[in-house]
Amino acid sequence: MRNRVNMIAVGDELLEGRTADTNSGRIQRALGQHAVQVAGIQVVPDTKEAIFQALDRTDVGDIVFLTGGLGSTPDDLTRDMVAQWAGVALPQDDAVRQQLEERWKRLGRKVGVGVQRQCQVPEGMAALENHVGSAPGLVGCLKGRILIMLPGVPSEMEGLLPAVVQWLTDHGHLPEARHTLLWRTGQIAELALVRKLDSIREANPELQWSWWLTDWGVDVRLAVEPDNKLGKAQLAAVEAPVSELLGHLVYSRQMESLPEVVGRMLKAKGLTVSVAESCTGGLIGASLTDQAGSSAYFRGGILAYADHIKNELLGVPEAMLQKNGAVSEPVVRAMAEGAQRQLNTDYALAVSGISGPGGGSDEKPVGTTWVAVATPEDVYTWAYRFPGDRPRNRLLTVAAIVDSLRRSLEFGPGQVPWMADDSWCRT
Amino acid sequence: MRNRVNMIAVGDELLEGRTADTNSGRIQRALGQHAVQVAGIQVVPDTKEAIFQALDRTDVGDIVFLTGGLGSTPDDLTRDMVAQWAGVALPQDDAVRQQLEERWKRLGRKVGVGVQRQCQVPEGMAALENHVGSAPGLVGCLKGRILIMLPGVPSEMEGLLPAVVQWLTDHGHLPEARHTLLWRTGQIAELALVRKLDSIREANPELQWSWWLTDWGVDVRLAVEPDNKLGKAQLAAVEAPVSELLGHLVYSRQMESLPEVVGRMLKAKGLTVSVAESCTGGLIGASLTDQAGSSAYFRGGILAYADHIKNELLGVPEAMLQKNGAVSEPVVRAMAEGAQRQLNTDYALAVSGISGPGGGSDEKPVGTTWVAVATPEDVYTWAYRFPGDRPRNRLLTVAAIVDSLRRSLEFGPGQVPWMADDSWCRT
């Protein structure tokens, strides 16, 4: 049973300012409920010396994650360096070779020379099949460390994580799970959320609080170590009051994304949704279709980036556009009604905003964003003023409109999905 | 003159899976063209031991960047730890104090207690004014290292970088710029690209090659140190042959994204584009509107996720959908024609594919994706079979269709934008 984790991210691209290491964070989130401590992250180049040095800096008993450098190009060294460092052989594994060859045949491709290296498994380690890419994950104990090698491509790495956590658990390498509670909130600023919970925090000193900014809002996490009796009692005692206090701000109590939640609600009620997007250019539709099975509720949408498209495809009157401008309450309302009508859906989401950097004015500064939620009964509109740059404002717009749909589905007919205590980016 | 850089990112939040360290990348990009080697990045928690250990792991002569931990709360330790580690005093600096007090008055705020610590400057270091936030940058030579301390907030850190680079240059700490060449390629697999260049690589041993997977394809980078005469000659000699060999696979020779390139081409020619998206659900429109000023060429699009929308809004005949299925050549062709007609644009992009995990068949396995590029003269279609999971297949689809538009604009009328040697995800 270990609780000290060391991360080693291998790859010149991580040191050349091209990409940031996000894998270490993904791994940490996957281990989240277990009481592991990440002692540090080392990002090192694709060189023998650097990988050796990074491995030497880990301690006996550590769980060591290495990500990257498992590809088939000459500069992919991780597999070989780990074997050399541990002084073990690096034979080809027939089962892995077969997996790779079958995979490539399935994809209708010739078996490349890459298979030669990607089916190598250091003695004393086991391979975990990679269903997203080719290089398998490698797990095992060498030199007193629990070593885990994973591909650097995030989607491949994440695809392997469940199997890795399973392996760690099966072999008793993970400590007992920490007791945790989670509230995922939308449309409230981190600081406002922290303040809301001040008194409960002061009254329960045994609890470990953490606040995580996500693509959809802010997560509140509560944790106590498995051996902390008093902490467990406090944890049980605060759950109801915290839920009460946060109320409609909470979109989920589990590790699911906001689009997952909305998709589940729509599916359960047999309802459909469409979008009419201007400034987001398709991001809302993209996030609603992230989920497998989204065709059950997402019908489609109209990207009305140019104003004449708002008129021609969504039926927004020319005069209305001229009088109010494209970023206005009547226009976004007409866009939502247009999508609801054109795509014949129960709900429709519309946004029109100034993402920046240009296009702002004193009256409508950059970040000003009108959103509309058309429901079977009524159309609700709201204006946000987002504080970020162009990419951030577009993401905030998606989070805001999808959460507004979630609230609308939760609150039911006749209820405005925004409330006085929504501190988030209010204009 | 130094060329070895060590980065130390300080902060618990970087180890808890909340935020990734992006500052090291920003610093590296700012130093990019200089022949600095980033030896490694260490991400460490806000503890005395961890910061000491990280500093001890640097070598005499290194340029050491520390980011984070310069705030005014008790867990901001970087300033104090560096002074202790170097064994120098940490006096308050009157000039810095004055700057901070003036700044806070300007912002109409009371001078907080934070000023007490944020105006401290370790002996032997100088302060660089922070125009975005309060904590100044700190630069100087201690223990034989060139130490640079910067705030962890990315906007503050980036605001200080120009002054830091200036300081490093003025004091002769930065080497001459490295000589580099870049080719950004699309629609070819990394390994196929490496093999294409095998003979040139073997013939030019002085050149440092690197291969970077990006959202849009694979980057090929060539570099030589400034003092390497033979290398410089080889660099000059290979540029033409490499460009010749890669030909139409190259979408840019500079650090610009594929949507930027396509946007520039469309703008220059005064051409417009629209999209008809099925499996991508809006991702193509979203990526084409990432760029500020995209309204000059992007008109909008139709998200036809449900088949009846393909018929109702894009005019794809019911019979065609029933006979061929939504993921087929005639349907994607009709979708592109429909978007081109409905949105009245010069070009239109359409995709219809099986992203997975479900929906696959023997005939059309998961990953099968039909794309169409409608040009003013003709409509071109192609089928890919992508090897990833749902999110990856959707991203690969965006990269494929946007690069196909890029080629179409480059090749001109009557030219099919796909070629026999496109190894990438060919069915």
Side-chain angles (χ1 to χ4, degrees), chain B residues 188-267:
Chain B
I188 180 167
E190 184 177 20
L191 200 57
L193 193 62
V194 173
R195 285 223 212 84
K196 251 182 183 296
L197 296 164
D198 270 346
S199 57
I200 294 183
R201 266 168 51 234
E202 281 148 22
N204 297 275
E206 292 299 312
L207 305 179
Q208 305 161 15
W209 298 74
S210 47
W211 320 87
W212 292 350
L213 284 172
T214 74
D215 288 349
W216 310 111
V218 185
D219 288 358
V220 185
R221 285 204 140 224
L222 270 175
V224 286
E225 301 307 326
D227 50 9
N228 182 342
K229 277 211 169 38
L230 177 52
K232 274 190 260 184
Q234 291 185 357
L235 194 71
V238 298
E239 180 162 17
V242 170
S243 297
E244 170 84 13
L245 204 58
L246 300 183
H248 71 283
L249 297 167
V250 178
Y251 64 82
S252 180
R253 295 295 313 278
Q254 313 152 42
M255 250 313 155
E256 58 186 345
S257 76
L258 182 54
E260 264 178 278
V261 172
V262 168
R264 192 169 26 69
M265 293 171 91
L266 290 167
K267 212 165 177 173

Side-chain angles (χ1 to χ4, degrees), chain B residues 70-347:
Chain B
L70 295 182
S72 48
T73 61
D75 60 350
D76 291 309
L77 299 169
T78 307
R79 207 185 288 101
D80 310 70
M81 289 310 113
V82 165
Q84 280 189 38
W85 173 77
V88 300
L90 187 61
Q92 294 199 356
D93 183 300
D94 293 341
V96 174
R97 190 193 188 91
Q98 208 175 346
Q99 276 175 7
L100 290 176
E101 290 178 351
E102 277 162 11
R103 172 186 162 74
W104 292 5
K105 287 203 192 82
R106 247 198 338 275
L107 296 172
R109 302 213 223 113
K110 271 200 237 65
V111 175
V113 291
V115 74
Q116 305 289 353
R117 302 189 53 218
Q118 293 195 314
C119 72
Q120 293 177 312
V121 178
E123 261 181 311
M125 299 192 84
L128 303 174
E129 184 169 5
N130 177 346
H131 296 281
V132 181
S134 49
L138 300 169
V139 294
C141 303
L142 295 177
K143 273 200 163 186
R145 281 79 162 172
I146 308 199
L147 286 179
I148 293 140
M149 283 186 260
L150 297 170
V153 180
S155 57
E156 297 186 27
M157 204 274 323
E158 279 203 301
L160 279 157
L161 277 182
V164 169
V165 173
Q166 192 56 55
W167 180 86
L168 286 167
T169 313
D170 294 348
H171 292 69
H173 294 320
L174 277 187
E176 197 186 328
R178 184 193 288 153
H179 298 258
T180 62
L181 292 175
L182 169 71
W183 291 266
R184 310 202 84 181
T185 71
Q187 305 198 55
I188 180 167
E190 184 177 20
L191 200 57
L193 193 62
V194 173
R195 285 223 212 84
K196 251 182 183 296
L197 296 164
D198 270 346
S199 57
I200 294 183
R201 266 168 51 234
E202 281 148 22
N204 297 275
E206 292 299 312
L207 305 179
Q208 305 161 15
W209 298 74
S210 47
W211 320 87
W212 292 350
L213 284 172
T214 74
D215 288 349
W216 310 111
V218 185
D219 288 358
V220 185
R221 285 204 140 224
L222 270 175
V224 286
E225 301 307 326
D227 50 9
N228 182 342
K229 277 211 169 38
L230 177 52
K232 274 190 260 184
Q234 291 185 357
L235 194 71
V238 298
E239 180 162 17
V242 170
S243 297
E244 170 84 13
L245 204 58
L246 300 183
H248 71 283
L249 297 167
V250 178
Y251 64 82
S252 180
R253 295 295 313 278
Q254 313 152 42
M255 250 313 155
E256 58 186 345
S257 76
L258 182 54
E260 264 178 278
V261 172
V262 168
R264 192 169 26 69
M265 293 171 91
L266 290 167
K267 212 165 177 173
K269 298 180 177 180
L271 296 166
T272 58
V273 66
S274 60
V275 295
E277 305 191 43
S278 184
C279 57
T280 45
L283 275 180
I284 301 168
S287 79
L288 289 175
T289 54
D290 270 345
Q291 315 304 320
S294 49
S295 53
Y297 47 86
F298 183 77
R299 287 284 173 267
I302 289 164
L303 309 182
Y305 206 63
D307 284 358
H308 67 88
I309 304 295
K310 296 181 179 74
N311 169 255
E312 291 156 20
L313 296 189
L314 290 165
V316 181
E318 272 301 348
M320 183 188 279
L321 283 158
Q322 262 146 38
K323 181 164 172 290
N324 307 278
V327 180
S328 63
E329 196 277 343
V331 166
V332 79
R333 174 184 294 268
M335 286 171 68
E337 286 166 342
Q340 196 179 29
R341 187 177 58 245
Q342 294 289 333
L343 289 100
N344 184 27
T345 51
D346 302 302
Y347 286 78

Side-chain angles (χ1 to χ4, degrees), chain B residues 1-6 35-37 39 55-65 85 140-148 167-168 172-175:
Chain B
M1 200 271 268
R2 306 292 198 289
N3 61 19
R4 192 164 178 281
V5 169
N6 254 296
V36 289
Q37 300 283 357
L55 288 163
D56 285 336
R57 287 172 174 177
T58 64
D59 294 337
V60 169
D62 285 356
I63 299 174
V64 180
F65 282 87
W85 173 77
C141 303
L142 295 177
K143 273 200 163 186
R145 281 79 162 172
I146 308 199
L147 286 179
I148 293 140
W167 180 86
L168 286 167
H173 294 320
L174 277 187

Side-chain angles (χ1 to χ4, degrees), chain A residues 57-372:
Chain A
R57 287 172 174 176
T58 65
D59 294 335
V60 169
D62 284 355
I63 298 174
V64 179
F65 281 86
L66 293 105
T67 56
L70 295 182
S72 47
T73 58
D75 58 355
D76 291 310
L77 299 170
T78 307
R79 210 185 285 100
D80 309 69
M81 289 311 112
V82 165
Q84 280 188 39
W85 174 78
V88 300
L90 189 61
Q92 294 199 355
D93 182 301
D94 294 340
V96 173
R97 190 192 188 93
Q98 209 177 341
Q99 276 173 5
L100 290 176
E101 289 179 352
E102 274 161 13
R103 170 185 166 76
W104 294 16
K105 285 199 194 84
R106 242 193 348 273
L107 296 172
R109 306 221 218 110
K110 271 201 240 61
V111 175
V113 292
V115 76
Q116 306 286 356
R117 301 190 52 218
Q118 292 194 313
C119 71
Q120 292 177 312
V121 178
E123 262 181 313
M125 297 193 86
L128 302 175
E129 185 169 4
N130 177 344
H131 296 281
V132 181
S134 48
L138 300 169
V139 294
C141 303
L142 295 176
K143 275 199 161 185
R145 281 78 162 173
I146 319 245
L147 285 179
I148 293 139
M149 285 187 259
L150 298 170
V153 180
S155 59
E156 298 187 26
M157 203 274 322
E158 275 199 305
L160 280 157
L161 278 183
V164 169
V165 173
Q166 191 58 57
W167 180 85
L168 286 167
T169 312
D170 295 347
H171 292 69
H173 295 319
L174 281 185
E176 193 188 335
R178 200 185 282 155
H179 296 259
T180 62
L181 292 176
L182 169 70
W183 291 265
R184 311 204 82 182
T185 73
Q187 306 199 53
I188 180 166
E190 185 176 21
L191 199 58
L193 193 61
V194 172
R195 285 221 209 83
K196 255 183 182 295
L197 296 163
D198 269 346
S199 56
I200 293 181
R201 266 168 49 236
E202 280 147 25
N204 298 275
E206 292 298 311
L207 305 179
Q208 304 163 17
W209 297 74
S210 47
W211 320 88
W212 290 0
L213 287 172
T214 74
D215 286 350
W216 310 112
V218 185
D219 287 358
V220 185
R221 294 177 149 255
L222 271 176
V224 286
E225 300 308 328
D227 50 8
N228 182 343
K229 277 212 168 38
L230 177 52
K232 276 191 255 182
Q234 291 186 357
L235 195 70
V238 298
E239 181 162 16
V242 170
S243 296
E244 171 81 13
L245 205 57
L246 299 183
H248 72 282
L249 297 167
V250 178
Y251 64 82
S252 179
R253 296 294 314 277
Q254 313 151 42
M255 245 315 155
E256 58 186 344
S257 76
L258 182 54
E260 266 177 278
V261 172
V262 168
R264 193 168 25 72
M265 294 170 92
L266 289 167
K267 213 163 177 175
K269 299 181 176 178
L271 296 167
T272 58
V273 65
S274 60
V275 297
E277 305 190 44
S278 183
C279 57
T280 46
L283 274 180
I284 301 168
S287 79
L288 290 174
T289 54
D290 270 344
Q291 315 305 319
S294 49
S295 52
Y297 46 87
F298 182 76
R299 288 282 172 271
I302 289 164
L303 309 183
Y305 205 63
D307 284 356
H308 67 88
I309 304 295
K310 295 181 179 73
N311 169 253
E312 292 156 17
L313 296 188
L314 289 165
V316 180
E318 271 299 349
M320 182 189 280
L321 283 159
Q322 260 145 40
K323 180 163 172 290
N324 307 278
V327 180
S328 63
E329 196 277 343
V331 166
V332 78
R333 173 183 293 270
M335 286 171 68
E337 287 166 341
Q340 196 178 30
R341 186 177 60 246
Q342 293 289 329
L343 289 100
N344 185 27
T345 52
D346 302 304
Y347 287 77
L349 308 178
V351 299
S352 182
I354 302 157
S355 302
S361 67
D362 292 353
E363 191 207 348
K364 295 176 184 177
V366 165
T368 304
T369 307
W370 275 99
V371 305

